[in-house]
Amino acid sequence: MRERKAGMGMDLEGLRSFVMIAKEKSISKAAQILHVTQPTLSARIRKLEEGMGVKLLERNWEGVKVTEQGHYFLYYALQMVSQLNNASAMLNKSDMKKFEQSLEEVTRMDRLVIGLDTGLSGVFMNPLASELRKMRPDLKCKYVSRPSIMLVDLIDYGVIDIGLFYDVVDCSHLRHVHVMDDEWVLLCSEEHYGNVGEGADFIDLLKNEMFVLFENPVATYVTVWEILLGLFGSIPNKFQIVDSCDMMLGVVANGQGYTFVPRCYIPQLYLDGFPIRAIPYGETLPKLPILMAYSKSLQLDVPIEQLTKNLACAISS
């Protein structure tokens, strides 16, 4: 388990400012649109850059240019701003008045809110819902899917009641139960590597191949580079980044690279649809404990220990 790192204190004004400048390629135009002065806008960007520890924008004779790090961050900044705008619009738009009853149903608080790590939902969602229904047929639930580290924050803030996530961040302040251990698997194309063994020779063969970095928080916090360094003795100098399971499987299936992922991230149903070879590396690489956790102040009517035991049995079978 890894300790949580301090947040960078990112503010919405800084995000909106960065996104607008990147779009307009001009601080003066962005300032006019946002109805602020140029010094104010520049100060917001400096604060954002200082908090992140990277340079997002560069000024030159043509105007403002987004740096390489800025381009990488822009994708996430746009996502965050868009999601916040959508949530605000749903709650405040006047034309939503006719859907007040539906909106109340969405935002009501008398439900058990359960969060699952994004990568675990494919394997755990069905058995979890099934077990809860057996235990408490009358229980009303809401399910959300977020990265593991975010789920711990959501429990802390009381947004969700229970979280099912990888043990990649300190959650000792929560009540938590060990569900099971996940393992790393190597995924590669059946066509390209189907006749190759699984020993040292196979690792040597992959050493110079393209590595497909599946950009997910678990890989980030467990540090997939440490794993590769331990296996190969060096970090691959050829790699490409994908941000979804479907993209990763498509790239690997076509022989454009290989990757390591937690087994639960790739349900067997997914693998059956792709010509991919999955090789477990449970004995070589560190296990990934999966926990179920909730606040110590929360009074639950669901027996968590029994629920986790039933879940582990359902997944194993």
Side-chain angles (χ1 to χ4, degrees), residues 26-99:
S26 166
I27 291 181
S28 60
K29 290 182 180 179
Q32 290 175 6
I33 295 172
L34 294 174
H35 304 291
V36 298
T37 65
Q38 291 188 43
T40 297
L41 199 58
S42 297
R44 289 180 182 177
I45 296 301
R46 281 197 302 271
K47 181 180 178 182
L48 183 61
E49 291 178 329
E50 289 171 1
M52 296 183 62
V54 296
K55 195 75 173 173
L56 299 174
L57 298 170
E58 288 180 347
R59 279 195 178 102
N60 57 35
W61 63 274
E62 293 181 332
V64 179
K65 180 182 177 181
V66 180
T67 65
E68 289 186 358
Q69 295 91 336
H71 273 292
Y72 176 83
F73 179 65
L74 182 57
Y75 171 80
Y76 296 95
L78 282 167
Q79 274 191 318
M80 287 185 279
V81 171
S82 176
Q83 288 173 346
L84 288 169
N85 288 341
N86 289 341
S88 177
M90 183 174 182
L91 293 172
N92 297 312
K93 269 190 174 180
S94 58
D95 59 1
M96 288 298 295
K97 295 298 182 181
K98 56 186 175 183
F99 302 114

Side-chain angles (χ1 to χ4, degrees), residues 79-178:
Q79 274 191 318
M80 287 185 279
V81 171
S82 176
Q83 288 173 346
L84 288 169
N85 288 341
N86 289 341
S88 177
M90 183 174 182
L91 293 172
N92 297 312
K93 269 190 174 180
S94 58
D95 59 1
M96 288 298 295
K97 295 298 182 181
K98 56 186 175 183
F99 302 114
E100 277 186 357
Q101 186 173 352
S102 299
L103 186 58
E104 288 175 4
E105 188 67 20
V106 171
T107 57
R108 62 189 297 175
M109 300 291 289
D110 62 339
R111 299 177 186 274
L112 185 70
V113 185
I114 303 173
L116 293 83
D117 178 272
T118 309
L120 294 176
S121 57
V123 170
F124 278 89
M125 182 59 225
N126 184 49
L128 176 60
S130 176
E131 291 299 328
L132 283 172
R133 186 177 182 184
K134 292 176 186 175
M135 291 181 171
R136 290 283 309 278
D138 61 322
L139 190 64
K140 295 180 180 179
C141 297
K142 176 182 177 181
Y143 297 93
V144 298
S145 176
R146 297 291 187 276
S148 289
I149 189 172
M150 186 181 294
L151 291 177
V152 175
D153 287 333
L154 291 175
I155 295 174
D156 287 340
Y157 282 95
V159 178
I160 66 173
D161 301 308
I162 300 174
L164 182 72
F165 50 81
Y166 286 105
D167 185 19
V168 294
V169 61
D170 181 25
C171 65
S172 58
H173 59 294
L174 302 175
R175 295 187 186 277
H176 56 276
V177 180
H178 179 265

Side-chain angles (χ1 to χ4, degrees), residues 202-220:
F202 187 46
I203 292 296
D204 288 340
L205 175 66
L206 292 176
K207 188 173 182 178
N208 297 315
E209 297 293 321
M210 180 79 73
F211 179 72
V212 182
L213 177 60
F214 180 28
E215 194 177 38
N216 64 78
V218 171
T220 300

